[in-house]
């Protein structure tokens, strides 16, 4: 059974620092991995999708890497801003049907 | 761009009542997913539909049922509501094979 773990559970950084969020999964036979952002009580916003054949994806200040063999993905957010404060969740799907298994998330606070 | 639309956004029901949640996927998306997110928890997969047929099933109580209609919108029906059903319910849609999931803003169900 796939298990997804995110470390740390919470992170506080001063504005301008780079953020590094980690995600690990126990079964390396994934179809893809997706990173989401969630503001309190709100929906999930898709940030990046990495297909299993890819090593990384980039979008603006965001960069996500995938090491399938070791069961790890890392989300980097460069030059953090207070508006980046949110919970970040990673999720994996095991096949093309797309059911997602989520990690518990990392709660990020960026202080001005 | 059109997003996933969920209605209602908030719903308050009494124990043992019935609730119906609606989801309108992104146009041309062929797959719809339902997730439940309890307070302080990560989203848990309930059920999914591909081209109006159930494609996968997760930890959905027998009191819950769902379907996808000819116009691709989906409804989650919840009967004999319990206090523990209070949660955020998310609908997501995607294209099978690409499986980048886009989530709606969710329906917050409160059972009193």
């Amino acid at each position: 059974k796939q298990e997804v773990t995110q470390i740390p559970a919470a992170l506080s950084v001063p504005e301008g620092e780079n953020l590094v969020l980690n995600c690990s999964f126990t079964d390396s036979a994934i179809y893809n991995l997706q990173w989401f952002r969630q503001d309190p009580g709100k929906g999930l916003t898709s940030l990046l999708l990495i297909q299993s054949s890819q090593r990384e994806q980039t979008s603006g200040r965001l960069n996500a890497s995938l090491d399938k063999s070791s069961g790890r993905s890392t989300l980097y957010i460069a030059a953090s801003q207070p508006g980046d404060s949110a919970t970040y969740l990673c999720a994996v799907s095991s096949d093309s049907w797309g059911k997602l298994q989520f990690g518990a998330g990392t709660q990020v606070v960026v202080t001005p | 761009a059109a997003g996933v639309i969920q209605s209602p956004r908030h719903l308050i029901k009494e124990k043992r009542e019935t609730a119906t949640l609606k989801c309108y996927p992104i146009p041309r998306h062929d797959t719809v997913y339902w997730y439940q997110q309890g307070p302080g928890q990560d989203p848990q997969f309930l059920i999914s539909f591909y081209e109006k047929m159930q494609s996968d099933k997760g930890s959905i109580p027998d009191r819950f049922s769902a379907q996808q209609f000819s116009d691709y919108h989906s409804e989650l029906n919840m009967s004999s509501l319990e206090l523990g059903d209070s949660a955020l319910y998310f609908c997501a849609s995607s294209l099978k094979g690409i499986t980048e999931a886009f989530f709606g803003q969710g329906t917050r169900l409160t059972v009193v």
Side-chain angles (χ1 to χ4, degrees):
Chain A
K1 179 180 180 286
Q2 178 75 270
E3 290 186 8
V4 182
T5 303
Q6 291 187 246
I7 294 173
L11 185 60
S12 181
V13 299
E15 181 177 4
E17 274 200 10
N18 297 331
L19 286 163
V20 180
L21 308 179
N22 297 300
C23 172
S24 62
F25 44 94
T26 54
D27 185 350
S28 62
I30 64 169
Y31 187 79
N32 62 32
L33 183 146
Q34 202 166 349
W35 282 94
F36 294 90
R37 169 190 171 132
Q38 185 174 31
D39 294 289
K42 304 293 186 183
L44 287 83
T45 301
S46 178
L47 298 175
L48 290 168
L49 171 75
I50 311 178
Q51 302 284 2
S52 61
S53 59
Q54 297 176 314
R55 298 282 297 190
E56 67 175 340
Q57 276 286 359
T58 298
S59 176
R61 293 185 295 112
L62 307 180
N63 174 276
S65 66
L66 175 64
D67 184 343
K68 212 172 73 161
S69 61
S70 65
R72 289 187 299 188
S73 176
T74 303
L75 178 66
Y76 302 89
I77 303 177
S80 61
Q81 305 167 358
D84 294 329
S85 299
T87 296
Y88 292 83
L89 298 110
C90 74
V92 300
S93 66
S94 299
D95 55 42
S96 64
W97 292 107
K99 174 180 71 177
L100 291 172
Q101 178 75 35
F102 283 85
T106 294
Q107 186 174 15
V108 171
V109 174
V110 181
T111 54
Chain B
V4 177
I5 306 295
Q6 290 188 246
S7 68
R9 293 291 308 278
H10 302 273
L11 193 57
I12 300 175
K13 290 286 185 177
E14 294 188 355
K15 283 194 304 183
R16 293 181 288 278
E17 283 193 320
T18 297
T20 297
L21 280 55
K22 296 186 178 183
C23 169
Y24 297 85
I26 292 172
R28 291 182 293 282
H29 278 191
D30 52 22
T31 306
V32 167
Y33 313 85
W34 286 97
Y35 290 85
Q36 178 192 58
Q37 186 177 31
Q41 299 180 358
D42 53 282
Q44 296 293 315
F45 171 75
L46 292 176
I47 196 166
S48 63
F49 293 87
Y50 168 68
E51 288 289 347
K52 293 156 279 183
M53 299 289 289
Q54 182 181 309
S55 55
D56 206 345
K57 193 172 180 180
S59 50
I60 182 169
D62 291 341
R63 299 178 290 107
F64 294 7
S65 65
Q67 57 182 325
Q68 187 177 28
F69 295 86
S70 58
D71 64 352
Y72 289 90
H73 94 273
S74 178
E75 294 183 1
L76 177 65
N77 296 291
M78 309 158 69
S79 63
S80 302
L81 288 169
E82 303 174 356
L83 295 178
D85 295 329
S86 296
L88 265 172
Y89 289 84
F90 290 109
C91 172
S93 72
S94 73
L95 275 170
K96 184 182 180 299
I98 299 176
T99 66
E100 180 172 9
F102 294 90
F103 280 70
Q105 288 300 299
T107 294
R108 180 173 294 282
L109 172 67
T110 303
V111 182
V112 297

